[in-house]
Amino acid sequence: QIQLVESGGGLVQTGGSLRLSCTASGRTFSPVAMGWFRQGPGKDREFLGTINWIINSTTYADSVKGRFTITRDNAQNKLYLQMNSLKPEDTSVYYCAATYIVQTRLPGDFLYWGQGTQVTVSS
């Protein structure tokens, strides 16, 4: 069983930055990709981006492209989301997830999920 734990959320002012982390633990961890999603109250879970765990390629949603950057540290089984130029509409619970499916953005294709970390951007 794989466990994912996010950290790094908090309160930040508009225009500020935050870096989220996601640590994987459990049996041998070898996903095809890991991703970041967010979900606000009453909203569907929104895809933000993925990183291929093997070749390190990234894909981003248009809503965050140029502001958010996903990186990973395979040796420590860590995933990161650097968020810059934050806006109030970025306020949400942020989740990391892992999948064995190539090039997917669908939440249903991600097998493992963290518990989420709250990010609040004040205006």
Side-chain angles (χ1 to χ4, degrees), residues 28-45:
T28 302
F29 185 67
S30 57
V32 169
M34 292 194 70
W36 287 98
F37 294 78
R38 65 187 179 191
Q39 187 168 19
K43 297 184 179 180
D44 294 333
R45 193 157 292 190

Side-chain angles (χ1 to χ4, degrees), residues 12-67:
V12 63
Q13 291 185 333
T14 296
S17 299
L18 275 177
R19 188 194 195 205
L20 305 184
S21 300
C22 173
T23 302
S25 62
R27 61 178 173 84
T28 302
F29 185 67
S30 57
V32 169
M34 292 194 70
W36 287 98
F37 294 78
R38 65 187 179 191
Q39 187 168 19
K43 297 184 179 180
D44 294 333
R45 193 157 292 190
E46 178 189 3
F47 168 83
L48 301 177
T50 58
I51 186 165
N52 186 294
W53 206 247
I54 301 170
I55 65 174
N56 204 31
S57 61
T58 53
T59 303
Y60 296 97
D62 289 343
S63 60
V64 302
K65 194 176 296 182
R67 298 191 300 125

